């Protein structure tokens, strides 16, 4: 089956992922898969830094706990693993009912995995799933309404595409496909929030950086993002990272590199980067020689995405980035800095994007987003005042945000005084 879901992904934009405690909730029948398929899937999600909840309670009763229902609500995406005995568990069926309720009410993303079962048995209540429902009807004679709700939940999976383990083999390939699709959907959800979070003018700038990255090329490329403080370098790098990270086997985003180098050594920072790229392993800090050997030995087969944000100063820079060209084909290293010469030192000379200031329209939108909590001033006079006030910011996003927040909720007279003081 195709790893896509129109019914789940189309409504996912209603979720604000920043409000969710977990990226993924896994619904499963432990006796069937806990020590095998589930353990490998959970570990693969963990390696990709996808925050996943799986219930470790081995002694489940028949009544699902309120805390677990809350956990489902606090998850961005649910993976439902239908296995041979899933339908025999009232606990699992209650989880499924709650998951589909969250899909309907909050747009939760739902992805089913049919593990060694026929999807039609789940959706048509035949085979083992038919046997399970017949058993529940006998056991819960006094509560047939609950059994009917379970039946509706199982049938409700008919319009949701997922994965069939009988078709996608071996299991390692199945797990890779699941994890990659989960990452893609989670990233899409976060990007949907960013698009509505006051990042005006960001899309065109992201496209410029993407064109320099040229993801189709198999070379190992370093791309610089250059601009004055507050111009949005980190924001652009962050959105690019979230947008393309699912195309890479390993990813690493290091913020405030300049500060990190002042506090420690390039060797320590390189070990941190290597640890993130190689599955979160803790690497002991050794000599530069040892580190170079480790890099040469373990990175050539890894397609990596590395972001080094806010790099400044020249001391130790070459030592920090030495050897990154040994990453696997198609790897990309993005470096942000206010100093163009720094970008040239770290090997970005051919591919440097200069971040332009916001134009007048984008500046007014960003300012209004923070000053009025909407994208335009409230009336004509306030628009005139806004244009006067923001003229001195010269299109610098950080200045526009700070100024907008400082004027939020203030009266016209204070706006006028503020305008006269600034101009």
């Amino acid at each position: 089956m195709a790893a896509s879901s129109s019914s789940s992904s189309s409504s996912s934009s209603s979720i604000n992922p920043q409000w969710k405690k977990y990226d993924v909730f896994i619904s499963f029948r432990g006796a069937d898969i806990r020590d095998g398929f589930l353990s490998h899937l959970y570990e693969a999600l963990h390696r990709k830094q996808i925050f996943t909840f799986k219930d470790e309670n081995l002694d489940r009763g028949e009544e699902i706990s309120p805390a677990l229902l809350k956990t489902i609500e606090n998850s961005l995406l649910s993976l439902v693993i239908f296995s041979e005995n899933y339908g025999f568990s009232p606990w699992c069926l209650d989880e499924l009912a709650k998951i589909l309720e969250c899909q309907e009410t909050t747009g939760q993303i739902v992805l089913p995995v049919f593990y060694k079962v026929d999807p039609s048995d789940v959706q048509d209540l035949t085979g083992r799933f038919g046997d399970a429902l017949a058993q529940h009807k006998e056991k819960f004679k006094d509560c047939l309404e609950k059994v009917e709700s379970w039946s509706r939940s199982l049938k409700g999976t008919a319009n949701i595409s997922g994965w069939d383990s009988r078709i996608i083999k071996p299991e390692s390939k199945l797990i890779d496909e699941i994890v990659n699709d989960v990452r893609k959907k989670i990233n899409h959800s976060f990007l949907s929030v960013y698009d509505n979070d006051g990042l005006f003018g960001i899309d065109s700038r992201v496209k410029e950086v993407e064109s320099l990255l040229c993801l189709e090329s198999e070379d190992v490329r370093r791309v610089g993002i250059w601009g004055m403080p507050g111009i949005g370098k980190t924001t652009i790098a962050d959105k690019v990272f979230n947008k393309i990270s699912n195309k890479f086997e390993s990813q690493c985003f290091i913020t405030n590199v300049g500060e990190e180098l002042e506090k420690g050594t390039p060797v320590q920072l390189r070990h941190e980067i290597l640890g993130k790229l190689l599955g979160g392993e803790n690497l002991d800090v050794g000599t530069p020689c040892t580190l170079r050997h480790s890099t040469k030995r373990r990175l050539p087969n890894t397609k990596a995405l590395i972001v080094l944000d806010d790099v400044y100063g020249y001391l130790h820079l070459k030592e920090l980035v030495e050897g990154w060209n040994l990453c696997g084909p198609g790897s990309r290293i993005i470096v942000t800095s206010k100093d163009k010469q720094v970008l040239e030192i770290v090997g970005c000379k051919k591919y440097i994007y200069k971040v332009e200031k916001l134009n007048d329209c984008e500046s007014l939108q960003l300012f209004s987003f923070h000053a009025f909590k909407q994208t335009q001033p409230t009336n004509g006079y306030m628009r005139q005042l806004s244009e006067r006030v923001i003229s001195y910011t010269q299109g610098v996003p950080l200045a526009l945000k700070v100024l907008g927040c400082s004027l939020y909720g203030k009266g016209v007279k204070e706006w006028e005084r503020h305008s006269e003081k600034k101009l």
Side-chain angles (χ1 to χ4, degrees):
M1 300 181 74
S4 62
S5 172
S6 58
S7 60
S8 62
S9 60
S10 62
S11 59
S12 64
S13 60
S14 63
I15 302 175
N16 187 335
Q18 295 171 325
W19 299 344
K20 299 299 180 181
K21 184 175 181 180
Y22 297 99
D23 294 326
V24 175
F25 176 89
I26 303 180
S27 177
F28 64 96
R29 183 67 191 270
D32 290 346
I33 63 170
R34 183 186 296 275
D35 296 329
F37 178 74
L38 177 66
S39 64
H40 299 305
L41 175 60
Y42 181 83
E43 180 61 27
L45 291 166
H46 176 71
R47 283 198 303 269
K48 297 299 182 181
Q49 301 177 13
I50 298 171
F51 192 31
T52 304
F53 180 90
K54 64 180 176 76
D55 188 9
E56 298 290 355
N57 183 7
L58 299 177
D59 186 25
R60 292 181 171 188
E62 292 185 350
E63 290 293 327
I64 191 170
S65 68
L68 196 60
L69 293 174
K70 193 69 176 176
T71 298
I72 295 172
E73 293 176 359
N74 284 328
S75 299
L76 176 63
L77 180 151
S78 282
L79 274 175
V80 183
I81 305 177
F82 293 109
S83 56
E84 183 181 16
N85 295 300
Y86 185 96
F88 286 93
S89 167
W91 185 291
C92 289
L93 294 174
D94 278 341
E95 285 182 350
L96 178 62
K98 181 64 177 179
I99 286 167
L100 295 182
E101 175 191 316
C102 289
Q103 181 193 43
E104 180 68 25
T105 58
T106 68
Q108 184 175 107
I109 304 167
V110 181
L111 299 176
V113 180
F114 301 97
Y115 186 73
K116 297 184 178 180
V117 298
D118 189 331
S120 63
D121 283 346
V122 178
Q123 296 152 2
D124 299 334
L125 305 183
T126 54
R128 293 286 288 171
F129 286 83
D131 295 341
L133 266 296
Q135 184 181 101
H136 292 319
K137 287 179 181 178
E138 183 66 26
K139 184 174 183 179
F140 297 100
K141 289 180 179 179
D142 297 332
C143 194
L144 289 178
E145 185 177 336
K146 175 183 276 290
V147 179
E148 285 303 314
S149 73
W150 291 340
S151 298
R152 288 193 298 271
S153 296
L154 290 167
K155 291 178 180 178
T157 64
N159 295 323
I160 308 176
S161 295
W163 295 271
D164 187 342
S165 71
R166 303 170 310 158
I167 297 175
I168 305 173
K169 296 180 179 180
E171 280 192 7
S172 58
K173 180 182 177 183
L174 173 62
I175 288 173
D176 283 345
E177 288 195 13
I178 293 170
V179 172
N180 287 335
D181 196 55
V182 167
R183 286 177 57 206
K184 187 182 299 182
K185 285 179 167 54
I186 291 173
N187 287 342
H188 176 76
S189 295
F190 274 95
L191 289 174
S192 297
V193 172
Y194 286 149
D195 288 341
N196 296 293
D197 200 24
L199 301 183
F200 301 101
I202 192 74
D203 289 337
S204 62
R205 291 157 175 81
V206 167
K207 287 179 181 178
E208 292 280 358
V209 175
E210 285 185 288
S211 68
L212 291 177
L213 288 168
C214 190
L215 298 179
E216 299 79 15
S217 172
E218 287 294 301
D219 65 338
V220 177
R221 182 171 300 193
R222 302 179 188 183
V223 172
I225 300 177
W226 168 47
M228 63 185 295
I231 199 69
K233 301 182 296 296
T234 300
T235 301
I236 294 169
D238 184 55
K239 185 158 187 182
V240 169
F241 181 85
N242 282 305
K243 186 175 182 180
I244 70 173
S245 61
N246 63 295
K247 302 180 186 297
F248 296 82
E249 297 166 3
S250 297
Q251 316 82 25
C252 178
F253 193 118
I254 303 293
T255 59
N256 302 317
V257 170
E259 291 183 12
E260 293 297 323
L261 287 175
E262 288 180 353
K263 293 186 293 185
T265 69
V267 171
Q268 290 172 319
L269 186 54
R270 288 179 65 181
H271 271 90
E272 178 184 346
I273 294 170
L274 279 173
K276 292 185 177 182
L277 293 179
L278 300 175
E281 300 175 20
N282 293 319
L283 301 176
D284 293 330
V285 177
T287 67
C289 181
T290 303
L291 183 60
R292 285 195 294 271
H293 175 70
S294 175
T295 301
K296 292 176 182 177
R297 182 168 57 87
R298 307 177 74 173
L299 282 184
N301 296 319
T302 302
K303 183 181 178 181
L305 173 62
I306 304 169
V307 177
L308 303 176
D309 179 53
D310 195 19
V311 179
Y312 58 82
Y314 310 114
L315 189 61
H316 303 314
L317 274 182
K318 286 188 176 180
E319 189 178 355
L320 173 66
V321 299
E322 181 184 357
W324 294 121
N325 60 327
L326 296 175
C327 290
S331 294
R332 294 292 180 268
I333 298 98
I334 301 173
V335 184
T336 76
S337 181
K338 63 183 178 181
D339 189 334
K340 186 177 181 181
Q341 190 173 353
V342 166
L343 299 178
E344 294 173 349
I345 288 175
V346 298
C348 300
K349 188 172 184 178
K350 289 176 62 178
Y351 306 105
I352 295 178
Y353 171 66
K354 180 182 178 182
V355 183
E356 301 292 343
K357 299 172 183 177
L358 299 182
N359 61 35
D360 291 345
C361 180
E362 293 164 344
S363 294
L364 184 61
Q365 287 180 315
L366 179 57
F367 173 77
S368 299
F369 183 83
H370 293 280
F372 305 109
K373 306 306 177 186
Q374 59 188 48
T375 59
Q376 294 293 329
T378 52
N379 57 54
Y381 182 58
M382 291 306 294
R383 183 184 183 92
Q384 293 176 17
L385 273 179
S386 297
E387 290 173 347
R388 288 168 54 194
V389 167
I390 67 176
S391 61
Y392 89 100
T393 65
Q394 298 182 354
V396 177
L398 181 59
L400 288 160
K401 291 178 185 178
V402 172
L403 185 58
C405 290
S406 70
L407 290 173
Y408 173 66
K410 302 294 176 61
V412 173
K413 290 185 177 179
E414 188 156 353
W415 272 65
E416 290 173 339
R417 287 197 298 270
H418 199 88
S419 171
E420 293 168 359
K421 181 175 61 176
K422 295 293 182 184
L423 295 176

